[in-house]
Amino acid sequence: MNEKLSVMELLKRAAKLLFSNINLAFFLFFSSLPLFCFLILFELSLQTTISLTYQFLSQELDLGGYFFLQDHKDLSENDLIPWLIQTSLLYFFPYTLLDLFTTTVIVAASSVSYTSGEEEPLGMLCLVQRSAKICRNRLVGCLITSLYVLLLSTSVFFGFFSESVNYLFITSLARDYQRFHSKTAVLFHAVVVLIRGTVFIVLAVKFGNWSAGWNMGLVVSVLEEEEDGEDGKGGIYGTNALSLSYWYGRGHEKRDLLMMLMFLVFAIATRMPCLYSRCSLSLSSSGNGVLYTGLYVGLICVGNVVKWVACVVSYYDCRARVLEKKDDVEIGSKAKGFAT
């Protein structure tokens, strides 16, 4: 308890928990199948939306000199808006619910296996029964917490999007100015890149810190019990769960930030090749787009499982340290009271 667990130690414990219990691995695999199947459809829609948005903004801001577009064609708002609406609806309704269900099952099952204290791995039936009981008692609380997280994360996303649009707009102004003052335009563009890049990095770091707290808040909503709760039904959720998660995470900010950034970079890196080759727009000629999308969606689902198992391990580590400090303070207060 004296040494804090590093990111690699958290990941090693998560991997050990998965590989040491084949029943847990199979259970989490089958639990992630609905999300995996839906993500293929969602990612294809997202790829098309991103590609069309990029092409539309480049067209409207006249960025042809800065960005090279293959198979360029003129787009209107009527071509883009239906895809934006479709992708947004898929994200806010089916994806959010499926992701919440998958997260709750992963956290519950990982907690049952991690705290079982048995030498032999739990059987599949026992694992399913215990996990289902936790999910049944905490699903409403997790839904409330996830709504808070969805609102906060969506606000941050719009911040990233506005920064990107502002950068493209300023770049278009620099391109027009370059026709008359080329050296000044290059210097102006360099300053803009420096400022916008700094803002983007700061937002990414803040998002990493916040997402670590949000993820811990969801874990708290699944596993934490109120002191006066009956039969494990008195869960903590909403703002209380988020507040408790930040309390548990004090002193572990750098570790949690590094872990969230690792998974964020992994998710972006797995998407980039398919976005670059525009898999969704190549479906008319072949079915390779679905194959490539299914491949990286599978990698994302595996990373999602490892991330939430690591969050469970981090939760128990942070909680044990907080309770240990609380006991030390109480013992010290009692000793001081006796001494006086």
Side-chain angles (χ1 to χ4, degrees):
M1 290 300 299
N2 294 327
E3 296 182 1
K4 296 180 180 180
L5 295 179
S6 64
V7 176
M8 294 307 300
E9 289 171 339
L10 288 177
L11 295 178
K12 286 179 180 179
R13 291 195 180 189
K16 181 180 179 181
L17 182 63
L18 289 171
F19 287 113
S20 63
N21 192 340
I22 192 65
N23 293 326
L24 175 64
F26 273 116
F27 180 53
L28 298 185
F29 170 77
F30 287 113
S31 300
S32 301
L33 278 180
L35 181 63
F36 168 78
C37 296
F38 174 78
L39 272 179
I40 295 177
L41 172 64
F42 175 74
E43 289 292 331
L44 290 172
S45 178
L46 180 64
Q47 292 167 21
T48 304
T49 303
I50 292 176
S51 180
L52 294 178
T53 302
Y54 171 73
Q55 186 171 337
F56 177 76
L57 291 176
S58 300
Q59 170 187 302
E60 293 297 314
L61 298 177
D62 193 18
L63 300 177
Y66 283 82
F67 302 98
F68 178 71
L69 295 173
Q70 297 177 346
D71 302 328
H72 175 77
K73 65 177 182 178
D74 293 334
L75 293 175
S76 65
E77 295 180 357
N78 294 330
D79 298 322
L80 177 61
I81 290 178
W83 283 102
L84 287 173
I85 295 175
Q86 173 182 301
T87 305
S88 299
L89 291 177
L90 288 175
Y91 175 78
F92 284 110
F93 179 63
Y95 172 74
T96 301
L97 293 180
L98 277 174
D99 185 57
L100 175 63
F101 168 78
T102 306
T103 298
T104 306
V105 172
I106 293 173
V107 171
S110 302
S111 174
V112 170
S113 297
Y114 191 72
T115 59
S116 62
E118 300 177 5
E119 295 182 359
E120 294 295 329
L122 291 175
M124 179 65 76
L125 181 60
C126 181
L127 179 63
V128 172
Q129 288 177 344
R130 293 188 185 181
S131 303
K133 182 179 179 180
I134 295 175
C135 295
R136 183 174 61 252
N137 293 335
R138 303 298 171 80
L139 191 58
V140 176
C142 293
L143 178 60
I144 295 174
T145 305
S146 68
L147 291 177
Y148 281 95
V149 173
L150 179 64
L151 177 62
L152 295 171
S153 60
T154 303
S155 301
V156 176
F157 168 77
F158 281 121
F160 279 110
F161 183 76
S162 62
E163 276 299 314
S164 301
V165 173
N166 289 335
Y167 170 73
L168 291 176
F169 178 72
I170 295 175
T171 300
S172 67
L173 295 180
R175 180 177 179 273
D176 294 335
Y177 189 74
Q178 186 178 5
R179 299 172 183 174
F180 306 99
H181 306 83
S182 58
K183 294 183 179 179
T184 307
V186 171
L187 179 61
F188 176 74
H189 186 259
V191 173
V192 169
V193 170
L194 179 62
I195 295 175
R196 295 295 173 180
T198 303
V199 172
F200 185 85
I201 292 174
V202 170
L203 281 177
V205 172
K206 288 293 184 181
F207 179 76
N209 281 322
W210 294 333
S211 62
W214 300 338
N215 291 339
M216 184 65 76
L218 288 172
V219 174
V220 167
S221 298
V222 179
L223 303 179
E224 194 76 23
E225 297 182 7
E226 289 183 337
E227 294 182 358
D228 57 348
E230 297 180 359
D231 298 330
K233 295 183 179 180
I236 299 176
Y237 52 86
T239 55
N240 293 331
L242 295 176
S243 300
L244 186 59
S245 70
Y246 284 110
W247 185 39
Y248 283 163
R250 286 189 303 180
H252 306 275
E253 290 84 0
K254 292 183 179 180
R255 181 195 70 184
D256 296 340
L257 171 62
L258 180 58
M259 186 170 69
M260 291 301 105
L261 289 179
M262 286 177 56
F263 285 108
L264 178 62
V265 170
F266 173 77
I268 294 176
T270 52
R271 285 181 171 92
M272 288 305 296
C274 212
L275 288 172
Y276 180 77
S277 59
R278 298 189 295 175
C279 294
S280 60
L281 300 182
S282 65
L283 291 177
S284 57
S285 58
S286 67
N288 291 334
V290 176
L291 178 62
Y292 297 151
T293 302
L295 178 62
Y296 83 73
V297 164
L299 293 176
I300 290 176
C301 288
V302 172
N304 187 58
V305 170
V306 175
K307 180 187 75 173
W308 285 113
V309 176
C311 286
V312 171
V313 176
S314 176
Y315 162 78
Y316 281 109
D317 176 62
C318 295
R319 186 173 184 271
R321 294 178 186 278
V322 169
L323 293 179
E324 184 184 31
K325 291 180 180 179
K326 182 179 179 181
D327 292 339
D328 291 342
V329 171
E330 291 178 352
I331 293 173
S333 300
K334 292 181 179 179
K336 183 177 181 180
F338 284 124
T340 56

mmCIF file of all heavy atoms in Angstrom, residues 185-201:
data_model
loop_
_atom_site.group_PDB
_atom_site.id
_atom_site.type_symbol
_atom_site.label_atom_id
_atom_site.label_comp_id
_atom_site.label_asym_id
_atom_site.label_seq_id
_atom_site.Cartn_x
_atom_site.Cartn_y
_atom_site.Cartn_z
ATOM 1 N N ALA A 185 2.326 36.149 -44.787
ATOM 2 C CA ALA A 185 1.300 35.112 -44.666
ATOM 3 C C ALA A 185 1.869 33.840 -44.061
ATOM 4 O O ALA A 185 1.227 33.187 -43.236
ATOM 5 C CB ALA A 185 0.691 34.817 -46.039
ATOM 6 N N VAL A 186 3.084 33.472 -44.461
ATOM 7 C CA VAL A 186 3.711 32.275 -43.899
ATOM 8 C C VAL A 186 3.958 32.451 -42.410
ATOM 9 O O VAL A 186 3.713 31.540 -41.601
ATOM 10 C CB VAL A 186 5.023 31.966 -44.642
ATOM 11 C CG1 VAL A 186 5.786 30.860 -43.939
ATOM 12 C CG2 VAL A 186 4.732 31.585 -46.086
ATOM 13 N N LEU A 187 4.449 33.634 -42.014
ATOM 14 C CA LEU A 187 4.683 33.910 -40.600
ATOM 15 C C LEU A 187 3.364 33.899 -39.822
ATOM 16 O O LEU A 187 3.280 33.340 -38.721
ATOM 17 C CB LEU A 187 5.374 35.263 -40.447
ATOM 18 C CG LEU A 187 5.662 35.713 -38.998
ATOM 19 C CD1 LEU A 187 6.599 34.718 -38.320
ATOM 20 C CD2 LEU A 187 6.262 37.122 -39.000
ATOM 21 N N PHE A 188 2.341 34.514 -40.410
ATOM 22 C CA PHE A 188 1.028 34.540 -39.761
ATOM 23 C C PHE A 188 0.483 33.131 -39.579
ATOM 24 O O PHE A 188 -0.049 32.776 -38.516
ATOM 25 C CB PHE A 188 0.068 35.374 -40.613
ATOM 26 C CG PHE A 188 -1.345 35.392 -40.095
ATOM 27 C CD1 PHE A 188 -1.679 36.128 -38.975
ATOM 28 C CD2 PHE A 188 -2.341 34.651 -40.739
ATOM 29 C CE1 PHE A 188 -2.977 36.146 -38.504
ATOM 30 C CE2 PHE A 188 -3.634 34.665 -40.270
ATOM 31 C CZ PHE A 188 -3.961 35.414 -39.147
ATOM 32 N N HIS A 189 0.639 32.287 -40.591
ATOM 33 C CA HIS A 189 0.155 30.911 -40.512
ATOM 34 C C HIS A 189 0.927 30.125 -39.460
ATOM 35 O O HIS A 189 0.351 29.309 -38.727
ATOM 36 C CB HIS A 189 0.284 30.243 -41.876
ATOM 37 C CG HIS A 189 -0.318 28.869 -41.923
ATOM 38 N ND1 HIS A 189 0.446 27.728 -41.844
ATOM 39 C CD2 HIS A 189 -1.604 28.450 -42.010
ATOM 40 C CE1 HIS A 189 -0.338 26.670 -41.891
ATOM 41 N NE2 HIS A 189 -1.589 27.080 -42.002
ATOM 42 N N ALA A 190 2.228 30.378 -39.340
ATOM 43 C CA ALA A 190 3.030 29.686 -38.326
ATOM 44 C C ALA A 190 2.578 30.059 -36.916
ATOM 45 O O ALA A 190 2.486 29.202 -36.022
ATOM 46 C CB ALA A 190 4.504 30.005 -38.516
ATOM 47 N N VAL A 191 2.283 31.350 -36.717
ATOM 48 C CA VAL A 191 1.804 31.794 -35.403
ATOM 49 C C VAL A 191 0.454 31.172 -35.087
ATOM 50 O O VAL A 191 0.190 30.729 -33.959
ATOM 51 C CB VAL A 191 1.723 33.339 -35.358
ATOM 52 C CG1 VAL A 191 1.057 33.807 -34.070
ATOM 53 C CG2 VAL A 191 3.106 33.945 -35.498
ATOM 54 N N VAL A 192 -0.420 31.121 -36.088
ATOM 55 C CA VAL A 192 -1.748 30.517 -35.891
ATOM 56 C C VAL A 192 -1.622 29.047 -35.528
ATOM 57 O O VAL A 192 -2.302 28.548 -34.615
ATOM 58 C CB VAL A 192 -2.612 30.695 -37.157
ATOM 59 C CG1 VAL A 192 -3.884 29.845 -37.059
ATOM 60 C CG2 VAL A 192 -2.974 32.154 -37.353
ATOM 61 N N VAL A 193 -0.747 28.325 -36.228
ATOM 62 C CA VAL A 193 -0.539 26.904 -35.930
ATOM 63 C C VAL A 193 -0.020 26.725 -34.515
ATOM 64 O O VAL A 193 -0.455 25.821 -33.779
ATOM 65 C CB VAL A 193 0.436 26.281 -36.950
ATOM 66 C CG1 VAL A 193 0.849 24.881 -36.521
ATOM 67 C CG2 VAL A 193 -0.207 26.229 -38.331
ATOM 68 N N LEU A 194 0.889 27.592 -34.090
ATOM 69 C CA LEU A 194 1.452 27.500 -32.742
ATOM 70 C C LEU A 194 0.370 27.740 -31.687
ATOM 71 O O LEU A 194 0.261 26.981 -30.710
ATOM 72 C CB LEU A 194 2.586 28.509 -32.579
ATOM 73 C CG LEU A 194 3.268 28.556 -31.203
ATOM 74 C CD1 LEU A 194 3.931 27.220 -30.895
ATOM 75 C CD2 LEU A 194 4.297 29.686 -31.158
ATOM 76 N N ILE A 195 -0.427 28.775 -31.873
ATOM 77 C CA ILE A 195 -1.470 29.105 -30.887
ATOM 78 C C ILE A 195 -2.539 28.025 -30.858
ATOM 79 O O ILE A 195 -2.913 27.522 -29.779
ATOM 80 C CB ILE A 195 -2.090 30.476 -31.208
ATOM 81 C CG1 ILE A 195 -1.044 31.588 -31.042
ATOM 82 C CG2 ILE A 195 -3.296 30.741 -30.305
ATOM 83 C CD1 ILE A 195 -1.536 32.955 -31.452
ATOM 84 N N ARG A 196 -3.035 27.665 -32.027
ATOM 85 C CA ARG A 196 -4.092 26.654 -32.083
ATOM 86 C C ARG A 196 -3.592 25.292 -31.623
ATOM 87 O O ARG A 196 -4.322 24.534 -30.981
ATOM 88 C CB ARG A 196 -4.651 26.546 -33.508
ATOM 89 C CG ARG A 196 -5.347 27.804 -33.981
ATOM 90 C CD ARG A 196 -6.580 28.073 -33.152
ATOM 91 N NE ARG A 196 -7.171 29.364 -33.468
ATOM 92 C CZ ARG A 196 -8.252 29.864 -32.898
ATOM 93 N NH1 ARG A 196 -8.851 29.183 -31.946
ATOM 94 N NH2 ARG A 196 -8.720 31.044 -33.248
ATOM 95 N N GLY A 197 -2.341 24.979 -31.938
ATOM 96 C CA GLY A 197 -1.777 23.716 -31.471
ATOM 97 C C GLY A 197 -1.664 23.670 -29.963
ATOM 98 O O GLY A 197 -1.947 22.645 -29.329
ATOM 99 N N THR A 198 -1.279 24.801 -29.370
ATOM 100 C CA THR A 198 -1.190 24.868 -27.907
ATOM 101 C C THR A 198 -2.565 24.698 -27.273
ATOM 102 O O THR A 198 -2.724 23.966 -26.288
ATOM 103 C CB THR A 198 -0.582 26.213 -27.482
ATOM 104 O OG1 THR A 198 0.709 26.368 -28.095
ATOM 105 C CG2 THR A 198 -0.438 26.281 -25.971
ATOM 106 N N VAL A 199 -3.559 25.394 -27.834
ATOM 107 C CA VAL A 199 -4.927 25.267 -27.312
ATOM 108 C C VAL A 199 -5.419 23.830 -27.436
ATOM 109 O O VAL A 199 -6.052 23.284 -26.519
ATOM 110 C CB VAL A 199 -5.871 26.234 -28.053
ATOM 111 C CG1 VAL A 199 -7.325 25.986 -27.655
ATOM 112 C CG2 VAL A 199 -5.496 27.673 -27.760
ATOM 113 N N PHE A 200 -5.115 23.194 -28.570
ATOM 114 C CA PHE A 200 -5.551 21.816 -28.782
ATOM 115 C C PHE A 200 -4.901 20.872 -27.776
ATOM 116 O O PHE A 200 -5.563 19.977 -27.226
ATOM 117 C CB PHE A 200 -5.217 21.378 -30.211
ATOM 118 C CG PHE A 200 -5.729 20.012 -30.561
ATOM 119 C CD1 PHE A 200 -7.022 19.836 -31.016
ATOM 120 C CD2 PHE A 200 -4.902 18.889 -30.444
ATOM 121 C CE1 PHE A 200 -7.500 18.579 -31.345
ATOM 122 C CE2 PHE A 200 -5.373 17.631 -30.765
ATOM 123 C CZ PHE A 200 -6.677 17.477 -31.221
ATOM 124 N N ILE A 201 -3.609 21.066 -27.504
ATOM 125 C CA ILE A 201 -2.917 20.207 -26.546
ATOM 126 C C ILE A 201 -3.483 20.402 -25.146
ATOM 127 O O ILE A 201 -3.703 19.433 -24.400
ATOM 128 C CB ILE A 201 -1.404 20.498 -26.576
ATOM 129 C CG1 ILE A 201 -0.805 20.054 -27.915
ATOM 130 C CG2 ILE A 201 -0.699 19.800 -25.427
ATOM 131 C CD1 ILE A 201 0.652 20.432 -28.093
#
